[in-house]
């Protein structure tokens, strides 16, 4: 006997998950529809989220939830001739993570189409949209028609999620934030992958971070998240790979919205810090390889190196800024000169802190720096908090460097009168100095591709995905 939609009711679904049972595809379809149509009470959404958080979901349930969320709104459509070159990257978030800014134009310069849909910062991590909005005039609100036009002429755009894209994620994400249900593997997976699925991508690379300043504190938990994202993406028909990268110290030497745009411009000019360049080269190289514009990862990486060094990625960034509302004068000043503060408003104060002992820099922890910067206005505690784009930090030393006592190690840009003693003390905890030599390791520790272990968990609804997986030799 098959169950009809009208036989379902929310209290019994909450009870079912509370007691650890598995939802069927039709049950997931039922509650996602109610959420979309506003026909479920907020307390019921909260209870359902908590039950999912506590009892988890199988791969098949996660996949059904992701699919239902993905199709709860508009699905982006691209011209046929782009079918194998529409690519994107997703990062699980880090301090100083500005990789999207140089990566999108570098991929466009290599012939890809990059409709990058990004988010705003919340908590200790900054958001790509906030960074770009520090450039006067940059407009992240673009309709899907405008996105197609920009992709036709420039090849990349970086925009916010439109109202019509995955509306159910918008509702669930807000609820998760206030019900302490953010850190749930199926909920994170469905939230990220429903949005990527709605972008109708040919290839996606995920940068799953682990460490003291990441959602995943250990490499093993990052591997579990990466595997869940890869499996779900692959089943949705998106060619998906992931890297695991370390997130203890900030990426690059600059943190804070306008300072991070400046560091991204340096990277696009073939300069800038080595770790930022490594992430852009590797993530870009993987995507170029995945969409078969190169027949190996190494060759893909070489293409990214070339477009960063020959100015073509920089030209794409300049064109993207103009297409998204920045005046040609400002775009030209940022890309063709180093007079960055002719465009950005500088902070009122700059204050340096000094090392309190001599030795070798073992680690620069990102969390204390991010916390102080957020307090000074660089980030948000609540979604509607305003941002001060000028606030930021410049690291003046690097891991592995020998320092004497009293060496300036960080310059804080802020608009407060003075840093408080509490802020200075917290900042000093970011610095770990020892007497044994250390070398600055690579950021990326592992590249993950779809594996064959878990596909047997999938149920009969997923035949078409299985065929796709087989035809594309993904396992
Ligand atoms: N990013 C998302 O979009 N959703 C999550 O749940 C976590 C990170």
């Amino acid at each position: 006997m098959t169950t009809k939609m009208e036989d379902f009711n929310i209290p019994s679904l909450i009870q079912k998950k509370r007691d650890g049972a598995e939802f069927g595809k039709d049950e997931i379809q039922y509650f996602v529809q109610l959420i979309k149509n506003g026909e479920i009470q907020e307390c019921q959404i909260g209870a359902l989220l908590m039950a999912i958080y506590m009892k988890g979901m199988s791969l098949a349930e996660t996949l059904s939830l992701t699919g239902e969320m993905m199709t709860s709104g508009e699905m982006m459509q691209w011209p046929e001739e782009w079918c194998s070159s529409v690519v994107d990257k997703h990062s699980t978030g880090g301090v100083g993570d500005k990789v999207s800014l140089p990566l999108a134009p570098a991929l466009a310069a290599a012939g890809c189409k990059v409709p990058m849909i990004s988010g705003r910062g919340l908590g200790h991590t900054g958001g790509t949209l906030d960074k770009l909005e520090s450039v006067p005039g940059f407009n992240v609100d673009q309709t899907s028609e405008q996105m197609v036009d920009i992709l036709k002429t420039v090849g990349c755009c970086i925009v916010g999620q439109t109202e019509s894209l995955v509306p159910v994620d918008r509702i669930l994400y807000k609820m998760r934030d206030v019900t302490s249900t953010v850190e749930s593997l199926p909920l994170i997976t469905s939230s990220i992958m429903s949005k990527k699925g709605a972008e109708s991508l040919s290839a996606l690379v995920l940068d799953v971070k682990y460490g003291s300043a990441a959602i995943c504190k250990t490499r093993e938990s990052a591997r579990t998240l990466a595997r869940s994202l890869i499996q779900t993406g692959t089943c949705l028909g998106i060619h998906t790979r992931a890297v695991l990268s370390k997130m203890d110290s900030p990426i690059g030497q600059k943190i804070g919205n306008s300072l991070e745009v400046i560091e991204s411009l340096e990277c696009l000019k073939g300069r800038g810090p080595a770790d930022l360049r490594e992430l852009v080269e590797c993530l870009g190289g993987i995507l170029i390889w995945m969409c078969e514009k190169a027949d190996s990862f190494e060759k893909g990486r070489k293409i990214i190196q070339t477009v960063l060094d020959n100015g073509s990625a920089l030209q794409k960034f300049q064109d993207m800024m103009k297409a998204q509302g920045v005046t040609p004068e400002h775009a030209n000043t940022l890309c063709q000169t180093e007079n960055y503060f002719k465009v950005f408003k500088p902070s009122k104060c700059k204050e340096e802190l000094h090392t309190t002992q001599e030795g070798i820099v073992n680690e620069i922890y990102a969390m204390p720096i991010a916390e102080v910067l957020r307090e000074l206005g660089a980030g948000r505690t609540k979604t509607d908090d305003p941002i001060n784009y000028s606030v930021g930090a410049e690291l003046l030393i690097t891991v592995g460097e020998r320092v004497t006592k009293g060496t300036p190690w960080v310059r804080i840009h802020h608009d407060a009168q003075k840093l408080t003693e509490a802020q200075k003390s917290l900042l000093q905890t970011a610095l770990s100095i020892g007497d044994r030599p250390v070398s600055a390791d690579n950021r990326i520790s592992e590249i993950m591709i779809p594996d064959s272990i878990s596909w047997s968990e999938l149920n009969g609804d997923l035949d078409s995905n299985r065929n796709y997986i087989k035809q594309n030799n993904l396992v």
Side-chain angles (χ1 to χ4, degrees), residues 34 39 114 130 147 159 186 192 208 275 280 285-286 336 398 460:
L34 293 196
E39 291 164 357
V114 196
D130 300 317
M147 285 174 74
V159 303
I192 294 174
V208 182
D275 60 346
V280 177
I286 291 170
Q336 308 306 331
T398 52

Side-chain angles (χ1 to χ4, degrees), residues 448-469:
M448 290 181 62
I449 61 171
D451 62 36
S452 56
I453 300 160
S454 311
W455 308 112
S456 58
E457 287 182 39
L458 302 178
N459 67 28
D461 295 311
L462 300 158
D463 279 349
S464 57
N465 302 114
R466 284 213 191 101
N467 287 339
Y468 171 86
I469 293 160

Side-chain angles (χ1 to χ4, degrees), residues 3-310:
T3 320
K4 293 203 219 78
M5 284 281 188
E6 52 267 31
D7 296 334
F8 298 138
N9 67 75
I10 290 294
S12 61
L13 288 183
I14 295 169
Q15 183 183 13
K16 182 169 182 176
K17 187 46 79 180
R18 182 200 70 191
D19 295 343
E22 185 171 355
F23 285 141
K25 187 176 166 58
D26 45 1
E27 289 170 321
I28 292 176
Q29 197 172 22
Y30 170 75
F31 73 70
V32 171
Q33 277 303 317
L34 293 196
I35 294 170
K36 179 181 168 182
N37 298 333
E39 291 164 357
I40 174 171
Q41 296 174 40
E42 288 197 352
C43 61
Q44 292 177 315
I45 302 180
L48 203 50
L49 287 170
M50 186 54 82
I52 295 170
Y53 179 94
M54 298 302 290
K55 300 293 177 177
M57 275 184 152
S58 68
L59 182 60
E61 284 178 293
T62 306
L63 192 51
S64 296
L65 178 59
T66 310
E68 292 303 325
M69 285 170 66
M70 176 178 86
T71 51
S72 67
E74 180 194 9
M75 295 282 291
M76 313 241 21
Q77 285 185 334
W78 311 115
E80 187 104 356
E81 62 272 21
W82 297 357
C83 72
S84 60
S85 46
V86 183
V87 302
D88 198 2
K89 179 238 25 164
H90 178 85
S91 156
T92 56
V95 178
D97 187 356
K98 57 204 62 91
V99 170
S100 295
L101 274 61
L103 180 62
L107 286 164
C112 297
K113 299 292 179 191
V114 196
M116 208 173 251
I117 298 179
S118 296
R120 295 187 186 283
L122 186 62
H124 69 278
T125 59
T128 298
L129 300 184
D130 300 317
K131 292 169 204 194
L132 285 168
E133 282 180 339
S134 72
V135 181
F138 197 103
N139 183 3
V140 299
D141 295 321
Q142 305 286 334
T143 62
S144 29
E145 291 76 24
Q146 287 169 321
M147 285 174 74
V148 173
D149 284 346
I150 301 172
L151 291 188
K152 276 186 186 156
T153 53
V154 181
C156 62
C157 57
I158 306 181
V159 303
Q161 191 181 345
T162 62
E163 284 296 319
S164 53
L165 205 82
V166 198
V168 167
D169 176 63
R170 208 188 292 279
I171 299 167
L172 288 182
Y173 201 80
K174 239 193 196 154
M175 297 275 166
R176 284 165 62 202
D177 210 27
V178 294
T179 55
S180 284
T181 51
V182 171
E183 298 91 354
S184 149
L185 191 65
L187 295 177
I188 294 175
T189 301
S190 54
S191 168
I192 294 174
M193 295 312 295
S194 59
K195 285 175 283 195
K196 295 300 160 191
E199 277 181 48
S200 306
L201 300 174
S202 336
L204 170 68
V205 68
L206 301 152
D207 180 3
V208 182
K209 301 197 174 292
Y210 66 93
S212 54
I215 320 179
C216 299
K217 299 296 172 207
T218 64
R219 184 160 163 184
E220 203 38 56
S221 62
R223 199 177 278 133
T224 306
L225 175 57
R227 195 172 289 129
S228 171
L229 294 167
I230 291 174
Q231 286 171 333
T232 307
T234 307
C235 289
L236 291 175
I238 310 168
H239 194 8
T240 311
R241 291 192 176 164
V243 303
L244 301 189
S245 68
K246 278 184 251 157
M247 188 64 243
D248 290 305
S249 59
I251 298 171
Q253 299 291 109
K254 292 183 168 57
I255 312 147
N257 295 289
S258 55
L259 289 179
E260 290 192 40
V261 178
I262 293 172
E263 195 161 64
S264 303
L265 284 159
E266 287 293 302
C267 179
L268 286 162
K269 292 173 186 176
R271 304 187 293 255
D275 60 346
L276 174 60
R277 171 108 178 184
E278 178 205 347
L279 284 163
V280 177
E281 282 181 11
C282 287
L283 293 163
I286 291 170
L287 282 171
I288 302 263
W289 171 40
M290 286 170 78
C291 65
E292 297 181 354
K293 293 192 184 301
D295 58 19
S296 69
F297 162 58
E298 287 72 24
K299 286 186 188 158
R301 185 170 181 166
K302 279 241 150 48
I303 292 175
I304 298 292
Q305 287 167 351
T306 304
V307 298
L308 289 176
D309 290 334
N310 71 10

